[in-house]
Amino acid sequence: MENKTRPETNLKSLAITLLVGVIIWFIPTPSGVSGHAWQLLAIFVATILGLIIKPLPLGGVAIVGITMTALTGTLSISQSLSGFSNSTIWLIVSAFFISRGFIKTGLGRRIAYLLMARLGKSSLGLCYGISLADLILAPAIPSNTARCGGIIYPLLASVAKAYGSDPEQGTERKLGAFLIKSAYQVNMITSAMFMTAMAANPLAVKLASDQQIQISWGSWAIAAAVPGIVSLLTLPLLLYKLYPPQIRATPQAAQIAHDKLKEMGSVSTQEWVMLGVFVLLLVLWIGGSTLGIHSTTAALTGLAILMLCGTLSWTDIIQEKGAWTTLIWFSALVMMADYLNKLGLIGWFTHSISGSVNGLNWELAFLILALVYLFSHYLFASSTAHVAAMYGAFLSVSIAVGTPPMLAALVLAFFSNLMGSLTHYGSGPAPVLFGSNHVAMKHWWGLGLLCALVNILIWLVIGGSWWRVLGLW
Amino acid sequence: MENKTRPETNLKSLAITLLVGVIIWFIPTPSGVSGHAWQLLAIFVATILGLIIKPLPLGGVAIVGITMTALTGTLSISQSLSGFSNSTIWLIVSAFFISRGFIKTGLGRRIAYLLMARLGKSSLGLCYGISLADLILAPAIPSNTARCGGIIYPLLASVAKAYGSDPEQGTERKLGAFLIKSAYQVNMITSAMFMTAMAANPLAVKLASDQQIQISWGSWAIAAAVPGIVSLLTLPLLLYKLYPPQIRATPQAAQIAHDKLKEMGSVSTQEWVMLGVFVLLLVLWIGGSTLGIHSTTAALTGLAILMLCGTLSWTDIIQEKGAWTTLIWFSALVMMADYLNKLGLIGWFTHSISGSVNGLNWELAFLILALVYLFSHYLFASSTAHVAAMYGAFLSVSIAVGTPPMLAALVLAFFSNLMGSLTHYGSGPAPVLFGSNHVAMKHWWGLGLLCALVNILIWLVIGGSWWRVLGLW
């Protein structure tokens, strides 16, 4: 029971975080801003900074942030805890629990093996097969780390190994390097395509709704579909040309998949239940507004079915650590963003900005804003921290320069995922895949930048045309 | 990753639970009750029944209950999730996290060993030493299972073993039987003495506040202090007479404690931090209303300090399963109780009762109510389910017959703990201690009933006089 602790606290980061919070706290409040709003801003900025420089793990920073809002009297205890009952948070928490079912029942692996058996005879086909598996699983697995690192990566690693592509022997370029790099880039795209495909997406939705922009599950998916599919078709091919695997034919991959499928046997009852719940969820999420069922109610219903059918046990739920961590940080950020808004700070900020950007050409101004938003991801080790720190402000400035609100909200939300391409630390699955040592650092960064640029082009030009068709601008 | 499930779902219990819910749902709504209120009652009763007959584990029942309120349109999704931001819930959840620090740092064991070294030279002294340790730890360890089963029980088991008292050799009555039985009875008393000493206590507080009775942490502790201390002094002595250990002098126990303390070495920094936080918490909880610090804010502050000092890591938090399970069931019940109240059902119920009980002598009526409440615990396998099912209704009837509201709320809350004495399944630590096989079933039940009767007498007579002094009636 007892064990010695190696404290997780990084004292230097803690000192910087506290110092920044204290400095902002004592800056004289600008006119037009209430004292409480300014105090909350100080706590908010310190919390975001904490998410970035990590004096404590994510959840710890969030708990300290929540505590400070109540302890300083900036908010009442009920206000401080209000984030925990936010419906967007329970959408993502429920989806985390549900996604455990894909892993536990083996359905996730089965889908991936089926596509690998069908498409895996060449290294490019294998890559597309894996992309399709990622795409299919994306709507119901909001942890892209679980999806890419937990389901896709082990499959690719086993194929690479079967072909003797091993970084320890210097043979990573035979096959592994290409597969790993493409799987990562593909994951950034699938993450951008559904509200429930990445943990921080619903945070963007919530921050947009604070500015009266309501993004539904269906409208996100429709807007992302066309540029998403084009990106999914383009990027593997691009990497295949620029970063080619030495092995082009991979009959063994298809064979491995066949063998694994044989080993797995026929589809189990629990897999059918999982599949049924998955289809039900897609129907309810897509048709939810017509049926009058909230997306969170749909997710809870799926979860309840999985529990009643015994597909997920209470132990599975309670051990799903990512879900609980998300609950905590998400609630802290949503609560602070909510009250910054209610206390008038967002309004004051937008009003201040509006004056100085009047008369700018919005297309150019928004392009610059979106690019700054995306490339500043070089400075972030987490999408969550980046979205929490910058999404709200960039959205409000974008609207102030005249960008159609829904367009601005969606583009910034999509870019919140596509920006993950850039570095080997900027997104959950990056450390897992980069850590396999198949891809050298210079290639990871160089190709990452290139992929980001190609994605920007595809999403702004082809996406832009599609959004015009949809009437978003 | 993958493993075969043995479904946890008990189909028979599930059928009964659903059937009861459906039957109530379709009973014509009585006049004066809204349709939504009646539907919520059906879901509430089915949920409580589910907590008792367990078609799924506790948390699963709660999630299905929450889902049903939203899916049936009885409540909006925001209303269904509202329980999660309740401050009482986060008081208990934070206390769960904090209590991990007692176990992890070893401070809990050290306190118990210190008292054992000082008082443990006789079996009765040992029993009092252990009682004092339980009492000291009670305010900050809301899981009485962790306190009694996790800290106290292992100590007693090791002493019993050292004296050759072993159920497998038929020597349990030498020492183990007496120690185990007394430790259990003592734990029921310490659980009754503080709002934060048992997980369901804050639920009683919340249900009382729904009926406009505000019980603070300090007022609970003061009201319970006198009868609690008398019980703690009386019951070990009673058991010592009626269920005596064959070994009366236990110099070895004191020796074991001395050895263990030597082995533990000097007090570590983390233990000092834990002790400091514990003292701070007591000060803030007792003086909170004067200082203007909410008890939940105090608990969060303690937790934040433990995290910042590295006493608790994020992994400790995330693995504290009892806390997450409590968060879920507590939120479900609080939400339902809240809306039963807001939708007017509690008012309707109280109003209906008031008419029929007019003119009764409240002292006698309340005595009967309190006894029925306590002894109905023979039917319950969990304090939580019992409190959730009966506390609110019994409180409202008690008030309707003329019992002073605060008195009624406190007595029923205290009895919610004391009732645990009765059976070997009625409280969290019971299965652990009974499962050690030191105490035969007939003794567990017989002595349990006797202890319950003695406790009732002490709490109503001595407690009653004390509450008179406090002006509660």
Side-chain angles (χ1 to χ4, degrees):
Chain A
M1 303 261 245
E2 219 166 311
N3 57 347
K4 294 289 161 209
T5 6
R6 203 178 38 153
E8 286 171 337
T9 316
N10 180 327
L11 288 178
K12 202 175 136 195
S13 298
L14 181 61
I16 296 171
T17 307
L18 289 179
L19 192 68
V20 168
V22 169
I23 288 173
I24 298 177
W25 183 279
F26 285 110
I27 288 176
T29 311
S31 76
V33 178
S34 76
H36 277 328
W38 194 255
Q39 291 176 6
L40 183 57
L41 181 70
I43 298 171
F44 177 69
V45 171
T47 303
I48 299 291
L49 186 62
L51 295 182
I52 299 168
I53 66 174
K54 298 193 178 151
L56 288 176
L58 207 60
V61 171
I63 285 184
V64 175
I66 293 172
T67 305
M68 291 311 290
T69 59
L71 189 63
T72 58
T74 302
L75 298 176
S76 75
I77 183 73
S78 307
Q79 291 172 332
S80 298
L81 298 170
S82 61
F84 287 107
S85 54
N86 181 275
S87 62
T88 312
I89 291 174
W90 285 95
L91 168 60
I92 206 78
V93 169
S94 306
F96 260 100
F97 293 140
I98 291 168
S99 65
R100 171 58 43 191
F102 277 101
I103 294 169
K104 187 184 175 191
T105 61
L107 182 65
R109 289 202 307 146
R110 187 186 295 273
I111 290 171
Y113 279 130
L114 278 171
L115 292 163
M116 193 164 141
R118 184 65 60 92
L119 300 169
K121 294 195 184 71
S122 71
S123 44
L124 186 60
L126 181 59
C127 179
Y128 279 119
I130 285 295
S131 307
L132 192 51
D134 190 328
L135 179 67
I136 291 172
L137 297 173
I141 307 192
S143 163
N144 59 348
T145 312
R147 198 164 75 239
C148 186
I151 296 178
I152 304 288
Y153 168 70
L155 267 60
L156 296 182
S158 70
V159 172
K161 204 175 162 197
Y163 275 97
S165 179
D166 183 351
E168 290 192 11
Q169 296 165 26
T171 54
E172 66 276 5
R173 290 296 300 273
K174 277 173 88 173
L175 185 60
F178 165 70
L179 289 179
I180 299 280
K181 185 64 182 158
S182 342
Y184 181 68
Q185 296 302 332
V186 160
N187 187 256
M188 296 300 105
I189 301 164
T190 60
S191 299
M193 290 177 70
F194 306 97
M195 187 195 289
T196 43
M198 203 269 284
N201 287 352
L203 180 58
V205 171
K206 178 66 181 62
L207 294 170
S209 93
D210 286 346
Q211 302 190 30
Q212 278 72 52
I213 306 164
Q214 309 301 339
I215 308 173
S216 71
W217 196 94
S219 62
W220 177 307
I222 290 167
V226 171
I229 288 168
V230 173
S231 274
L232 283 179
L233 292 173
T234 310
L235 277 139
L237 199 61
L238 183 75
L239 288 168
Y240 191 72
K241 296 288 176 202
L242 294 176
Y243 194 57
Q246 291 154 6
I247 297 171
R248 309 233 158 182
T250 54
Q252 252 183 282
Q255 193 52 50
I256 290 176
H258 277 297
D259 294 348
K260 286 284 184 183
L261 286 170
K262 193 173 279 177
E263 194 183 293
M264 290 181 87
S266 58
V267 181
S268 70
T269 317
Q270 296 299 359
E271 277 177 275
W272 282 119
V273 172
M274 189 67 226
L275 190 63
V277 166
F278 182 47
V279 171
L280 176 70
L281 276 178
L282 291 183
V283 170
L284 291 180
W285 279 341
I286 294 166
S289 45
T290 322
L291 298 165
I293 291 179
H294 192 282
S295 52
T296 305
T297 307
L300 283 170
T301 304
L303 177 60
I305 294 172
L306 290 177
M307 296 188 71
L308 288 171
C309 294
T311 312
L312 288 178
S313 70
W314 183 246
T315 311
D316 296 325
I317 301 284
I318 211 79
Q319 287 178 346
E320 191 57 42
K321 297 173 192 177
W324 302 111
T325 305
T326 303
L327 172 68
I328 298 287
W329 67 250
F330 209 145
S331 300
L333 294 176
V334 160
M335 173 272 292
M336 290 183 198
D338 239 23
Y339 281 95
L340 281 177
N341 204 18
K342 286 188 182 152
L343 295 174
L345 201 89
I346 304 292
W348 167 80
F349 176 74
T350 311
H351 186 78
S352 313
I353 292 288
S354 312
S356 58
V357 293
N358 253 346
L360 276 182
N361 171 337
W362 77 260
E363 285 90 344
L364 180 63
F366 181 57
L367 179 66
I368 294 169
L369 285 166
L371 292 178
V372 170
Y373 180 78
L374 189 145
F375 285 105
S376 60
H377 197 58
Y378 278 114
L379 306 174
F380 286 92
S382 128
S383 310
T384 307
H386 191 154
V387 172
M390 298 180 60
Y391 184 89
F394 270 64
L395 177 58
S396 110
V397 177
S398 300
I399 297 171
V401 298
T403 316
M406 180 60 92
L407 182 73
L410 284 173
V411 169
L412 291 174
F414 299 148
F415 277 24
S416 302
N417 293 280
L418 300 175
M419 66 193 182
S421 294
L422 296 173
T423 66
H424 62 293
Y425 49 72
S427 170
V432 181
L433 273 66
F434 179 76
S436 76
N437 285 324
H438 281 89
V439 184
M441 175 86 84
K442 62 177 176 182
H443 293 140
W444 192 279
W445 278 56
L447 294 168
L449 175 58
L450 186 77
C451 290
L453 291 171
V454 172
N455 272 330
I456 290 169
L457 209 66
I458 292 173
W459 286 71
L460 291 186
V461 176
I462 299 180
S465 319
W466 172 235
W467 302 327
R468 188 91 192 202
V469 173
L470 293 178
L472 295 183
W473 62 291
Chain B
M1 303 260 243
E2 218 166 314
N3 57 350
K4 296 287 163 209
T5 5
R6 204 179 39 154
E8 284 170 337
T9 315
N10 179 327
L11 288 178
K12 200 174 137 195
S13 297
L14 182 61
I16 296 171
T17 306
L18 289 179
L19 192 68
V20 168
V22 169
I23 289 174
I24 298 178
W25 183 279
F26 285 109
I27 288 175
T29 310
S31 75
V33 178
S34 75
H36 277 329
W38 194 255
Q39 291 175 6
L40 184 57
L41 181 70
I43 297 171
F44 177 68
V45 171
T47 304
I48 299 293
L49 186 61
L51 294 182
I52 299 168
I53 65 174
K54 297 193 178 152
L56 287 176
L58 207 60
V61 171
I63 285 183
V64 174
I66 293 171
T67 305
M68 291 311 291
T69 59
L71 189 63
T72 58
T74 303
L75 298 176
S76 75
I77 182 74
S78 306
Q79 292 172 331
S80 298
L81 298 170
S82 62
F84 288 106
S85 54
N86 180 275
S87 62
T88 311
I89 291 174
W90 285 95
L91 168 61
I92 206 80
V93 169
S94 307
F96 261 100
F97 294 140
I98 291 168
S99 67
R100 170 60 42 190
F102 278 102
I103 295 168
K104 187 184 175 191
T105 61
L107 183 64
R109 288 202 309 145
R110 187 185 295 273
I111 291 172
Y113 280 130
L114 278 172
L115 291 164
M116 194 164 140
R118 184 65 62 93
L119 300 169
K121 294 196 184 71
S122 70
S123 43
L124 185 61
L126 180 59
C127 177
Y128 280 120
I130 284 295
S131 306
L132 191 52
D134 190 330
L135 179 66
I136 291 172
L137 297 172
I141 306 191
S143 163
N144 59 349
T145 311
R147 198 165 75 237
C148 185
I151 296 178
I152 303 288
Y153 168 70
L155 267 60
L156 296 182
S158 70
V159 172
K161 202 174 162 199
Y163 275 96
S165 179
D166 182 349
E168 291 193 9
Q169 298 166 23
T171 54
E172 67 276 4
R173 291 296 301 272
K174 276 173 89 174
L175 185 59
F178 164 71
L179 289 179
I180 299 280
K181 186 66 182 156
S182 340
Y184 180 68
Q185 295 302 332
V186 160
N187 187 256
M188 295 301 104
I189 301 164
T190 60
S191 299
M193 290 177 71
F194 305 97
M195 187 196 289
T196 43
M198 203 269 285
N201 287 352
L203 179 59
V205 171
K206 179 66 181 62
L207 294 170
S209 91
D210 286 345
Q211 302 190 29
Q212 277 73 51
I213 306 164
Q214 309 301 339
I215 308 174
S216 72
W217 196 94
S219 61
W220 177 307
I222 290 168
V226 171
I229 289 168
V230 173
S231 276
L232 283 179
L233 292 173
T234 309
L235 277 139
L237 199 62
L238 183 75
L239 288 168
Y240 191 71
K241 295 288 175 201
L242 295 177
Y243 193 59
Q246 290 154 4
I247 298 170
R248 311 235 155 179
T250 54
Q252 253 183 282
Q255 193 54 50
I256 289 176
H258 276 296
D259 293 349
K260 286 284 183 184
L261 285 170
K262 193 173 280 176
E263 193 182 293
M264 290 180 86
S266 57
V267 180
S268 70
T269 317
Q270 296 299 359
E271 277 178 272
W272 282 118
V273 172
M274 189 66 226
L275 191 62
V277 165
F278 182 48
V279 171
L280 176 71
L281 276 177
L282 291 183
V283 170
L284 291 180
W285 280 340
I286 294 167
S289 45
T290 323
L291 299 165
I293 291 179
H294 192 281
S295 53
T296 305
T297 307
L300 283 170
T301 304
L303 177 59
I305 294 173
L306 291 176
M307 297 187 71
L308 288 170
C309 293
T311 312
L312 288 177
S313 70
W314 183 246
T315 310
D316 296 326
I317 302 284
I318 211 80
Q319 288 178 345
E320 190 58 43
K321 297 174 189 172
W324 301 112
T325 305
T326 304
L327 172 68
I328 299 287
W329 67 250
F330 209 144
S331 301
L333 294 176
V334 160
M335 173 272 290
M336 291 185 197
D338 239 22
Y339 281 94
L340 281 177
N341 204 17
K342 285 186 182 152
L343 295 174
L345 201 90
I346 304 290
W348 168 80
F349 176 74
T350 311
H351 186 77
S352 312
I353 293 287
S354 311
S356 58
V357 294
N358 251 346
L360 277 183
N361 171 337
W362 76 260
E363 286 90 345
L364 180 63
F366 181 58
L367 180 66
I368 294 169
L369 284 166
L371 292 178
V372 169
Y373 181 78
L374 189 146
F375 286 104
S376 58
H377 197 58
Y378 278 115
L379 306 174
F380 286 91
S382 130
S383 310
T384 308
H386 191 155
V387 172
M390 299 180 59
Y391 184 89
F394 270 65
L395 178 58
S396 111
V397 178
S398 300
I399 297 171
V401 298
T403 317
M406 180 59 92
L407 181 73
L410 284 173
V411 170
L412 291 175
F414 299 149
F415 277 24
S416 302
N417 293 280
L418 300 175
M419 66 194 182
S421 294
L422 297 174
T423 66
H424 62 293
Y425 50 74
S427 170
V432 182
L433 273 68
F434 179 75
S436 76
N437 285 324
H438 281 89
V439 183
M441 176 86 84
K442 62 177 176 180
H443 294 140
W444 192 279
W445 279 57
L447 294 168
L449 174 59
L450 187 76
C451 289
L453 291 171
V454 172
N455 272 330
I456 291 169
L457 208 67
I458 293 173
W459 287 70
L460 292 186
V461 176
I462 299 180
S465 319
W466 173 235
W467 303 326
R468 188 90 193 202
V469 173
L470 293 179
L472 294 182
W473 62 291

